[in-house]
Amino acid sequence: MPRPRSSDSLCRVIAIANQKGGVGKTTTAVNLSAALGLLGYKTTLIDIDPQGNASTGLGIDRSSRGCGSYGLLAGTRDFSDIARPTAVNGLSIVPAEPDLAGAEVELVNLQDRESRLKSALQSARQKITGQDYIFIDCPPSLNLLSVNALVASDSVIIPLQSEFLALEGLTQVTNTIEIIRRKLNPELSLNGILLTMMDRRNNLCEQVEADVRGFFGASVYRNVVPRNVRLSEAPSHGMPIFLYEPKSAGAVAYHEIANEFLARDTALVTQPRKVPQPT
């Protein structure tokens, strides 16, 4: 088991983002953050997707979410007041409450609209102790909520479904991240590209993997997320895969991905990694 970071270590913020939906973004947000909690790291997942699927996946029913990520963006709530525990030891969640659906319209007229979440988390970092990681589950689109997440983050993970159309959209994602890095958050690094829904029996999956690794090289996670029925079932039970089916292929994969994430994050502290850009 990896040793938890020391209590005086600076909490790291990681966005999990892709402008395309259905690529395993929320599945990764829920299960990676859960894996780190189980490994002994104090972790919080912030759900800023108005669909609220990450909140559902961690057992927070829509009718009982109360105040959540909307309060952070609006500046009306402190992080420590709205982060709530989950069934996973070491993992808390800031849920997506119903008001989040209208947040983008309200943000347009606010001062520093792109950095509202960054300001809230900077304040939280100064107040909370022992927090190791904050993950942000982004909406599957480029909007002010996604921009806020990327501006607030130290690094970003891009889940990428192993199919041709998802590969086509990868250029848009990397371009967006590079624009954010140049104009709004020069400290933003790429933690890695994570291949999801991998089926080794499918030649197309193998080809997509080869293409992605051929261009992005070490930026692509060595471990992949397999196509796994248990991973698809777990959210409907309000559980991460480790509680729903801990011996499944999906649980094994996310455990290995968590270990690889830790190694990558440690390396990024001293050597930030930019997103490779297609020529």
Side-chain angles (χ1 to χ4, degrees):
M1 176 182 293
R3 293 179 60 189
R5 302 167 76 208
S6 61
S7 60
D8 59 351
S9 297
L10 180 64
C11 174
R12 300 271 292 164
V13 181
I14 298 93
I16 300 181
N18 194 320
Q19 291 166 223
K20 188 178 187 303
V23 298
K25 176 182 58 62
T26 297
T27 298
T28 295
V30 168
N31 291 298
L32 177 55
S33 58
L36 291 170
L38 292 170
L39 286 172
Y41 293 86
K42 188 175 181 182
T43 305
T44 299
L45 174 59
I46 300 178
D47 187 355
I48 64 164
D49 184 348
Q51 297 177 77
N53 291 334
S55 304
T56 301
L58 284 174
I60 310 297
D61 186 77
R62 290 185 182 276
S63 62
S64 60
R65 289 179 187 174
C67 295
S69 54
Y70 173 80
L72 281 181
L73 291 162
T76 59
R77 295 284 180 171
D78 289 334
F79 176 87
S80 57
D81 295 333
I82 56 179
R84 63 179 72 180
T86 69
V88 178
N89 290 335
L91 175 62
S92 300
I93 184 168
V94 175
E97 72 270 53
D99 288 343
L100 192 60
E104 186 175 10
V105 176
E106 297 179 32
L107 285 172
V108 170
N109 297 317
L110 295 180
Q111 186 176 9
D112 299 325
R113 59 188 181 185
E114 298 93 351
S115 57
R116 304 286 297 185
L117 186 58
K118 179 179 181 179
S119 298
L121 294 185
Q122 282 180 332
S123 177
R125 280 168 148 173
Q126 296 169 0
K127 296 177 182 177
I128 58 179
T129 57
Q131 183 83 18
D132 293 306
Y133 291 107
I134 295 174
F135 286 90
I136 307 173
D137 185 31
C138 300
S141 60
L142 178 60
N143 56 26
L144 270 175
L145 297 177
S146 299
V147 170
N148 264 268
L150 293 171
V151 171
S153 296
D154 299 300
S155 65
V156 57
I157 296 173
I158 306 173
L160 179 69
Q161 186 178 358
S162 304
E163 66 170 29
F164 177 72
L165 291 179
L167 180 59
E168 277 198 327
L170 183 57
T171 300
Q172 293 179 323
V173 181
T174 56
N175 286 343
T176 297
I177 293 172
E178 180 60 20
I179 291 170
I180 296 293
R181 193 189 65 79
R182 288 202 317 264
K183 296 186 176 182
L184 296 169
N185 182 8
E187 304 303 317
L188 184 65
S189 296
L190 175 66
N191 177 278
I193 298 168
L194 177 63
L195 290 163
T196 64
M197 305 180 197
M198 174 64 72
D199 186 349
R200 295 293 184 190
R201 300 167 300 179
N202 187 322
N203 290 336
L204 179 59
C205 285
E206 296 279 1
Q207 185 59 55
V208 169
E209 179 180 21
D211 290 346
V212 175
R213 293 191 188 280
F215 182 82
F216 291 96
S219 295
V220 184
Y221 269 67
R222 296 188 309 277
N223 292 285
V224 302
V225 182
R227 187 173 290 278
N228 181 248
V229 173
R230 299 303 185 207
L231 276 175
S232 301
E233 293 174 348
S236 65
H237 296 271
M239 298 180 188
I241 191 62
F242 304 102
L243 298 185
Y244 179 66
E245 190 58 69
K247 295 183 179 180
S248 67
V252 172
Y254 273 109
H255 176 79
E256 294 302 320
I257 288 164
N259 285 311
E260 185 174 353
F261 162 81
L262 291 169
R264 286 171 170 270
D265 185 68
T266 299
L268 285 182
V269 172
T270 56
Q271 186 63 47
R273 182 189 295 119
K274 295 181 182 179
V275 182
Q277 295 297 303
T279 56

